[in-house]
Amino acid sequence: MKILVINAGSSSLKYQLINMEDESVIAKGNCDRIGIDGHIKHTTFDGRTVDTDCKFPTHTEAFEKLVEVLTTGDASVLSSMSEISAVGHRIVQGAEIFNKTTLVTDEVIQQIDDLSELAPVHNHPHALALRACKKVIPETTPQVAVFDTAFHQTMPEKAYMFGMPYECYEKFHVRKYGFHGTSHRFVTQALADAMGRDIKDLKIVSCHLGNGSSITAVEGGKSIDTSMGFTPLDGVIMGTRSGCVDASAVTFVASKLGLSPSEMSDYLNKRSGFLGISGISSDNRDITAAANDGDRRAQLVGEMLRYEIKKYIGSYAAIMNGLDAVLFTGGIGENSDDLRADVCRNMEYLGIKMNEKVNEGMRGKLCKISAPDSKVEVWVVPTNEELLIARDTKELVENM
Ligand code: ADP
């Protein structure tokens, strides 16, 4: 069985074609600059490539090109699109409507589009891509939606409500939704498998640290709290996002700078975080290099990030009455050994003791990095959201 996984943004269409027999990637790539001009970069499992400019006025032309490179030319991997059993789409916001992976119908596409108010950057482009995909892919090929928020729908009311007037929830659906659910679900299950334990018996803090970061308390395989909130702005400091700030600081700065609500949103989402504090870059590698060169504000970014992650681990240990494991994933979590060591230092009271030697230099590999006598296991677990989307899609279509 072959599954095509799609992750669509407003101007891009990232894809992976996965062979479910051995879960290997047959081809992957990105249709970029949709609505601007257009470019496709495509690579096959055996190293054949397409890297060319195109015309992508809309997502439909991007899908048409994708079908063309998959089925014709030197880097083709299919004789026809009917070889694909299903298409799985990553969808950011499913709100309270979608608490699990769902077969796509016209009504589902409309519901995803209607949720755009809650996720303007993501959901409308997802709906555009779903409609374009329907036009281009054979009608008999099922499409499946996998939601970033679905995993967090198990959070209790006390965790997801904000202390604002109840009408904010009733009228405007303002509450914590949480994001990166696909990643947290994938890595916590992979961790349980690696530990040889049933996930139902585990209390895990899952730290997904990348450009966007979120930390989740997973008890018995269920998300019970997470650091991102109503949008992916909340939680720890991120590349260009502020993370948690006192809401009064937001209204205060907006009035001082004369910013409209949408300008203020840009200020917090695109000009804050690592970039805003350091004035150098949103990329952790640049920040680390500048910090090592003695730049005080870059050092401060690193200190803030480590401090905030530590606080989440402590608070989630408190709500779960203990911990069995802490895991690190995402570009920073998988690669930054010094951040992992700093976060886990002086946590003996919680039962966390690192194996600094194993941790050092460990990048992007499934690996236990805690000491043999550590009560709480600490792991690096590489994430693979595309694979989870493909697995979910396979399971759903097989049970149709
Ligand atoms: P996204 O959230 O966009 O998926 P990623 O998970 O790819 O992002 O993470 C990107 C972040 O990971 C960047 O800040 C980048 O600097 C950081 N990163 C990638 N490789 C390394 C590395 N070797 N050491 C430290 N940080 C890294």
Side-chain angles (χ1 to χ4, degrees), residues 180 208-212 274 282-285 330-332 335-336 363:
H180 287 146
H208 178 119
L209 311 169
N211 243 327
F274 300 180
S282 62
D283 192 289
N284 179 58
R285 282 163 293 199
I332 300 175
N335 291 298
S336 186
R363 291 192 205 295

Side-chain angles (χ1 to χ4, degrees), residues 1 51 76 102 121 132 164 167 169 178 181 185 191-192 200 206 215 229 234 237 247-248 266 273 316 322 354 386:
M1 179 187 270
D51 192 342
S76 66
T102 303
V121 181
M164 298 164 79
E167 65 175 15
Y169 173 63
R185 185 151 69 91
L191 173 64
K200 290 208 170 66
S206 172
I215 302 179
D234 206 356
I237 184 171
S248 296
D266 271 2
Y316 288 167
M354 285 287 266
E386 290 78 11

Side-chain angles (χ1 to χ4, degrees), residues 211 239-240 274-275 278 280-289 332:
N211 243 327
T240 61
F274 300 180
L275 177 67
S278 71
I280 294 171
S281 171
S282 62
D283 192 289
N284 179 58
R285 282 163 293 199
D286 299 339
I287 295 293
T288 306
I332 300 175

Side-chain angles (χ1 to χ4, degrees), residues 72-360:
T72 60
D74 291 343
S76 66
V77 284
L78 301 169
S79 52
S80 98
M81 288 304 277
S82 58
E83 279 183 50
I84 291 176
S85 301
V87 184
H89 293 260
R90 174 193 178 222
I91 309 293
V92 166
Q93 179 57 279
E96 290 180 340
I97 300 174
F98 300 105
N99 62 6
K100 60 177 190 297
T101 294
T102 303
L103 187 69
V104 173
T105 60
D106 287 340
E107 191 196 350
V108 167
I109 298 178
Q110 193 52 51
Q111 285 171 311
I112 289 169
D113 211 357
D114 290 344
L115 289 172
S116 294
E117 198 184 28
L118 299 181
V121 181
H122 295 105
N123 269 46
H124 183 56
H126 293 330
L128 291 175
L130 285 162
R131 291 192 179 106
C133 187
K134 263 196 81 176
K135 270 194 227 161
V136 174
I137 299 239
E139 216 174 313
T140 46
T141 310
Q143 291 196 64
V144 170
V146 182
F147 297 89
D148 271 8
T149 48
F151 182 58
H152 301 298
Q153 280 296 303
T154 47
M155 282 188 292
E157 207 175 11
K158 65 187 175 194
Y160 70 68
M161 286 300 291
F162 297 134
M164 298 164 79
Y166 201 74
E167 65 175 15
C168 296
Y169 173 63
E170 285 184 310
K171 288 189 182 157
F172 310 125
H173 312 288
V174 172
R175 51 159 282 180
K176 178 188 284 204
Y177 291 106
F179 297 87
H180 287 146
T182 316
S183 175
H184 289 298
R185 185 151 69 91
F186 180 87
V187 289
T188 50
Q189 185 58 59
L191 173 64
D193 294 345
M195 290 172 74
R197 300 274 305 271
D198 188 336
I199 197 163
K200 290 208 170 66
D201 301 328
L202 292 176
K203 297 169 180 176
I204 302 170
V205 175
S206 172
C207 306
H208 178 119
L209 311 169
N211 243 327
S213 298
S214 70
I215 302 179
T216 300
V218 180
E219 186 168 9
K222 294 196 167 124
S223 166
I224 61 161
D225 202 352
T226 190
S227 62
M228 281 180 171
F230 176 58
T231 71
L233 179 63
D234 206 356
V236 298
I237 184 171
M238 293 169 247
T240 61
R241 292 175 234 164
S242 60
C244 174
V245 292
D246 178 351
S248 296
V250 176
T251 48
F252 179 81
V253 171
S255 83
K256 282 280 178 201
L257 296 177
L259 300 179
S260 68
S262 85
E263 288 166 338
M264 193 60 213
S265 171
D266 271 2
Y267 194 79
L268 294 168
N269 277 289
K270 298 183 181 158
R271 291 163 59 192
S272 298
F274 300 180
L275 177 67
I277 295 279
S278 71
I280 294 171
S281 171
S282 62
D283 192 289
N284 179 58
R285 282 163 293 199
D286 299 339
I287 295 293
T288 306
N292 290 340
D293 284 346
D295 186 277
R296 179 56 206 138
R297 286 203 276 155
Q299 290 168 353
L300 177 60
V301 168
E303 288 165 18
M304 289 171 73
L305 179 62
R306 286 155 172 76
Y307 181 72
E308 291 170 13
I309 298 167
K310 223 181 222 300
K311 283 208 295 189
Y312 272 106
I313 295 173
S315 64
Y316 288 167
I319 62 166
M320 292 193 285
N321 187 23
L323 282 180
D324 295 298
V326 174
L327 75 84
F328 291 93
T329 193
I332 300 175
E334 289 171 35
N335 291 298
S336 186
D337 49 359
D338 62 318
L339 174 131
R340 295 188 303 250
D342 292 344
V343 166
C344 294
R345 194 163 293 128
N346 298 327
M347 300 271 261
E348 292 85 3
Y349 73 100
L350 265 185
I352 296 177
K353 206 167 128 194
M354 285 287 266
N355 186 335
E356 304 250 353
K357 269 216 182 98
V358 173
N359 177 52
E360 206 180 310

